[in-house]
Amino acid sequence: MKITSYEKTDNGVVIFTEDGRFFIQGCGPKILRCVYTKKDRILQESALTIRRPSCPPLKVSGEGDGLRIRAQKASLEICKKTGHFTFRKPDGTLLLELSGQELSDTPVEVYSTGKEKPVIERVKTVDGERSFVKNLAPRTDHMAYRAKLYFSWQDEEQIHGLGQGEEGIYDYRGNVQYLYQHNMRIPIPFLVSDRGYGILADCGSLMTFGDDARGSYLFLDTVEQLDYYFIAGDTLDEIVSGFRTLTGKAVMLPKWAFGYVQSKEAYKSQQELVDVAKEYRKRKVPLDCIVQDWLTWEDGCWGNKVVDKTRYPDLPQAMEELHRMHVHTMVSVWPNMNGGTENHKEFEEAGYLLHDLSTYDAFQEEARKMYWKQAEKDLFFGGFDSWWCDSTEPFSGADWNGGELREPWERYALVGGEHKKFLGPLKANLYAAAHAKGIYENQRMAAPDKRVLNLTRSGYASSQRYGTVLWSGDTCATWKNFKIQITEGLNFCMSGMPYWTLDIGGFFTVREKWQNRGCSCNTDPAPKWFWKGDYEEGVRDLGYRELYVRWFQYGAFLPMFRSHGTDTPREIWNFGEPGEMFYDALLSALHLRYRLMPYIYSLAGMVYWEDYTMLRSLLFDFSQDKTAGRVDREFMFGSSLLICPVTEPMYYEKESRPLNREKTWKCYLPKGAGWYGLQDGNYYEGGQWIEAKADISSIPVFVKAGSILPMERGLTYAQEEVDSALEFHIYPGRDVCFTLYEDAGDGYDYEQGRCNRISLKWTDGERLLEIGAAQYDFLQSIKHRKCVAVCSGIRKEFIYKGEPMKVSL
């Protein structure tokens, strides 16, 4: 693609070629926007509602056969003969070469029934009731493009991100990945390289990443122009910060969201919710939230946001009773509704349904307001604190059938085709983000002092702006799947998204067993490809108890700590009683989570204030360690804790068959740091594999030398006021700084700066802890509170008065 000329404009550089034009725009010191189109003008509208910060003008120079465009900390060289792009650091270090960019015409098709009456087939599936309009027909709305970016990778370069899949692929080199919304798939149009850059595609359509014999490329199914952002960064944190600069800052979640969330499919009444919470409080087992899964509606009224008064006769009274116990609540809502329900009729009369005539049109602002008003009436005013926006793809039902998993390209075409049909090819991946936007904006208007929390099954770039936590979908209970989940969580958080969780223990526990999941006509006896759990006896199987405990121990170090699933109960007392190994192991993990609450909430503060990532691939902190960079089942939880989940059975196989093996686990300790065992305090040098103790009581967790861990004692819910001192555990070995974060735990005053960001500085040679100032008083604040600093067995108690002070150890 030969370059013919270029022109510098007020906001960028236009480059003319024999086959269209490029536009290069600076969006920050390390961010370049690159557009390729064959149209007469560059479109400024964004599929992702990109925010483009202003920055100094780009510097442009023509040098021989090349054109060089420079931002402050990144540059682009364009070959005039071929049009190939080469991105470099300011010192000339190669970051990425693009060997080609393609656009080919494609029709944008929209579907309708025309003047014919819709022929609707309503299907009741394991993933909810679905409506299919049988006589939809396509017509061409206008012409757009199919687009491709071709990559020339460097030797041994690793590629990560792209959201969350279900195969457990860590490094996408040598792989093909399909980016479409589905149960267990969350596509994010953002990839990162271990060489110091990321690529964000401003695209709402289906996509494919390919790296095989056919080439290395990113394919965009339908776009108005090829529009992407190159983000340079010396660290993954800098690259992720660039992503959030463009797509939006992640908001603070309520503090209780970082406590334990108890869920299952499904509590059947308001009394059951109250009784389960009472049992947790009676046992003094920590708990912050109990979840009401689907079927709050009357029988046959799928998706209706009006509760069944026979099972929820006085919802506000039940919610008040739960709140008196300091237990928060979450309720499942769906975007699709059965015909004939009150909610459906209101949408139908207003013309706010998509043309499946079941799902509301979340792309219309007035439709989002109507959805909120319906959810507000019974559920929010009834006292529920947060939302579980389930099935937000929302057209995955076509693939949830059959005994065998279809081929990847078949699923992409089948499920992706449904999204193109009902949402339009330009918006095929955007529904979940639009739905979350409506929940967030409307709740903030209705209750400006109550933070939004939305656990949602699907999302996209920008979802982080709307108080969302994404979860990995309806997984199954096997050790193999447990391993896959760890890998997928790491790639998801390398995609710029801060909050991710899963169904601890796997959603499906048994194998090939069709059950009634709330639909009276679920009678299909055929096996399902997704219902592949290994444990027919559920919690009665000691093998499942062990798997659940290991999953639970891992879940204690996720941004949201949540148990959920079907087939078998999930409350702690179903796994034994006090003094029994599985019960005690679960309780120990719960107590550790709450011990770490000041540390965890400080990480959440960093997510907002510093664009931080809590769940961290080792590439974030140890990019120079090639071994660490390829470890896909260990991770950092914040800057201090190295988590090494145990992903194999040690005590029991399925069907309670005993095992006889060593209770140790092989762990890699990254080089460049020393490491302390969290449980035993033993010290290890980094850069080695070790065999760590791994009996059922805990998984191996190591603390990086040069860490400050603020910790609490005795919490049974996240914002409980306790009499014990707040503890600062110092792990010596190097100087370190940490910021202890405090705010009200709810509301949005933090956006105006009403919070404490208390600096903690440890000078290792002087064994000196310096604590900065705190301006505000909050519940649990350390201001005017007894504290204790602990280092190498030495303890020093002190009262912190909110003013800077020093503590020598």
Side-chain angles (χ1 to χ4, degrees), residues 26 120 157 205 301 378 452 519 528 556 587 623 698 749:
I120 302 172
E157 183 173 359
S205 79
C301 297
D378 263 21
V452 176
C519 300
K528 306 298 174 186
L587 187 60
S623 59
S698 65
D749 284 351

Side-chain angles (χ1 to χ4, degrees), residues 105 170 668:
D105 293 342
Y170 181 60
Y668 182 72

Side-chain angles (χ1 to χ4, degrees), residues 289 377 739:
C289 178
K377 184 178 179 181
T739 301

Side-chain angles (χ1 to χ4, degrees), residues 237-238 240-241 244 249 602-613 738-739 757:
D237 283 308
E238 289 185 10
V240 166
S241 182
R244 294 194 203 151
K249 184 174 284 294
S602 295
L603 299 181
M606 293 171 65
V607 169
Y608 175 76
W609 290 100
E610 303 174 26
D611 294 328
Y612 191 68
T613 300
F738 186 79
T739 301
R757 301 179 68 202

